[in-house]
Amino acid sequence: PIRSPQIMHRPSPILPRILPVGTAVVIAVPQAAHTQGTAGIIIAAPVDPDHAYRVRFPGGDEISLLRREIQVLSHFQNQGFARVDPLIEYDLYKHVIYRCIIGSRAYGLDRDGSDTDRRGIYLPPASMHWSVYGVPEQLDNPETQECYWELEKFIKLALKGNPNVLEVLYSPLIEHADPIALVLREERSIFLSRLIYQTFNGYAMSQFRKIELDIKLHASVKWKHAMHLIRLLRSGIAALRTGELPVRVEHNREELLQIRDGLMPWDFVDTLRKSLHDEFERAFESSSLPDRPNYERANEILVAARAEMAKREKLI
């Protein structure tokens, strides 16, 4: 059973210890001259949180108010949007249209005790998507190692060549796929383009910087990071050359396991990394993939999915 799901929202703003001059506020505690909810502007701020702010109102009058007696206007305006909890009003996990296994089990690098990481896509009800409250960009459940992207978010990430998202479309371990998801699987090549060179290289370089930092700070290598760096480069090279993104490792499985187990010297792995970067560049130069993905077809799929949800709810 799915428990303690978390929904990714924009982070709540953190109030500064002292609100700056010029901040628009509303009265939170009724005053003799002004009712609760009256708006004003801070014209003088205290030196510490225990003293009062000077607030000016539209009529020109000014009063001193403590921090607990005022509320930032933008926060006051946003309160209504927080009243609808999608997890209470909608069971969003019922709207997962695609679920697959990724990570070591999909790569063929799992061992006894390896985690089972699930990723996928959810398509929210049209009525929820069209509401002023919007929809979460992803559903995240660390307890069960699950993450599901909202369809539009997923498509946009795939169009940008995000390796983690593209692997979801190419995973050989599918647990659930409804007709909309099957269209995405069947037409997944629309997301592959020469942009892979930039995005996969970026991820590989990020992994390399983490390894360098560990060596500098701790004189050690996190071999799992090193393994994924090499795996990612080989995967990107194959995609540029074949037009297919390999997820399950085949010919290089033993090499990757040796790296993960620390059986290869770091100097050797680093030399391999540099060689693969060169090979990646050559694959980019000769690739027959388009310069950009098929944005038009991706948009058609998204619009059709939205329309289908609206029909199911009898909204159109």
Side-chain angles (χ1 to χ4, degrees):
I2 297 172
R3 297 171 298 166
S4 304
Q6 297 179 358
I7 288 187
M8 302 298 291
H9 291 289
R10 297 183 185 90
S12 299
I14 299 175
L15 285 172
R17 191 167 178 80
I18 301 295
L19 296 175
V21 171
T23 301
V25 296
V26 297
I27 291 180
V29 178
Q31 304 296 312
H34 294 285
T35 60
Q36 184 176 357
T38 303
I41 296 288
I42 293 175
I43 60 170
V47 294
D48 61 64
D50 297 323
H51 289 79
Y53 292 83
R54 194 69 179 168
V55 179
R56 178 177 295 157
F57 296 93
D61 58 313
E62 302 172 5
I63 60 174
S64 295
L65 295 166
L66 296 172
R67 180 65 183 88
R68 65 176 179 272
E69 297 175 315
I70 57 176
Q71 185 176 7
V72 176
L73 176 60
S74 61
H75 301 170
F76 177 81
Q77 292 170 325
N78 287 330
Q79 279 181 337
F81 294 99
R83 293 178 184 173
V84 174
D85 186 346
L87 286 178
I88 295 174
E89 189 165 348
Y90 304 92
D91 183 355
L92 293 180
Y93 282 91
K94 288 183 178 179
H95 297 278
V96 170
I97 62 172
Y98 180 68
R99 180 186 298 109
C100 70
I101 295 174
I102 55 93
S104 61
R105 295 193 183 278
Y107 304 144
L109 297 170
D110 55 301
R111 290 174 171 168
D112 292 341
S114 292
D115 291 335
T116 300
D117 300 311
R118 291 178 171 86
R119 298 291 182 270
I121 307 166
Y122 88 98
L123 178 59
S127 56
M128 179 183 178
H129 189 85
W130 291 344
S131 74
V132 296
Y133 304 105
V135 297
E137 290 189 338
Q138 69 187 58
L139 311 178
D140 210 4
N141 192 338
E143 288 186 13
T144 55
Q145 302 292 319
E146 292 179 90
C147 175
Y148 303 98
W149 289 276
E150 192 275 323
L151 178 61
E152 180 180 350
K153 179 67 173 181
F154 181 89
I155 286 176
K156 287 180 176 178
L157 289 173
L159 288 169
K160 292 177 181 177
N162 182 296
N164 297 325
V165 168
L166 290 177
E167 286 180 358
V168 168
L169 287 176
Y170 283 84
S171 171
L173 304 179
I174 306 170
E175 293 188 331
H176 169 73
D178 80 355
I180 294 171
L182 288 175
V183 171
L184 283 172
R185 284 278 304 194
E186 291 166 2
E187 300 190 39
R188 58 194 178 184
S189 62
I190 67 173
F191 298 105
L192 294 187
S193 73
R194 286 156 60 89
L195 283 177
I196 285 176
Y197 174 71
Q198 287 83 14
T199 54
F200 278 53
N201 251 326
Y203 274 67
M205 291 168 66
S206 176
Q207 289 279 25
F208 177 64
R209 285 194 293 270
K210 291 178 184 177
I211 294 169
E212 275 194 316
L213 186 60
D214 285 331
I215 293 173
K216 180 179 180 181
L217 296 179
H218 309 294
S220 64
V221 175
K222 289 187 177 178
W223 293 106
K224 190 173 181 179
H225 289 171
M227 177 195 72
H228 283 303
L229 187 160
I230 299 301
R231 181 193 62 79
L232 194 62
L233 287 172
R234 289 198 181 281
S235 178
I237 291 167
L240 287 175
R241 286 179 173 167
T242 68
E244 289 285 322
L245 181 68
V247 171
R248 195 163 190 85
V249 300
E250 299 292 348
H251 305 299
N252 306 109
R253 182 175 184 274
E254 291 306 315
E255 170 194 75
L256 293 171
L257 289 176
Q258 287 184 36
I259 294 173
R260 184 176 67 181
D261 293 341
L263 300 178
M264 289 187 182
W266 169 244
D267 288 345
F268 179 87
V269 176
D270 193 32
T271 299
L272 175 60
R273 174 190 69 85
K274 294 174 183 176
S275 173
L276 289 174
H277 274 295
D278 291 339
E279 190 175 347
F280 204 179
E281 186 171 352
R282 291 193 297 272
F284 170 68
E285 292 170 352
S286 62
S287 177
S288 60
L289 285 177
D291 289 335
R292 296 283 173 170
N294 192 336
Y295 299 104
E296 292 77 13
R297 180 54 186 151
N299 186 63
E300 288 174 0
I301 294 172
L302 175 61
V303 171
R306 292 266 191 265
E308 175 62 25
M309 289 301 289
K311 288 179 182 177
R312 292 179 190 178
E313 296 176 72
K314 298 181 179 179
L315 298 178
I316 59 174

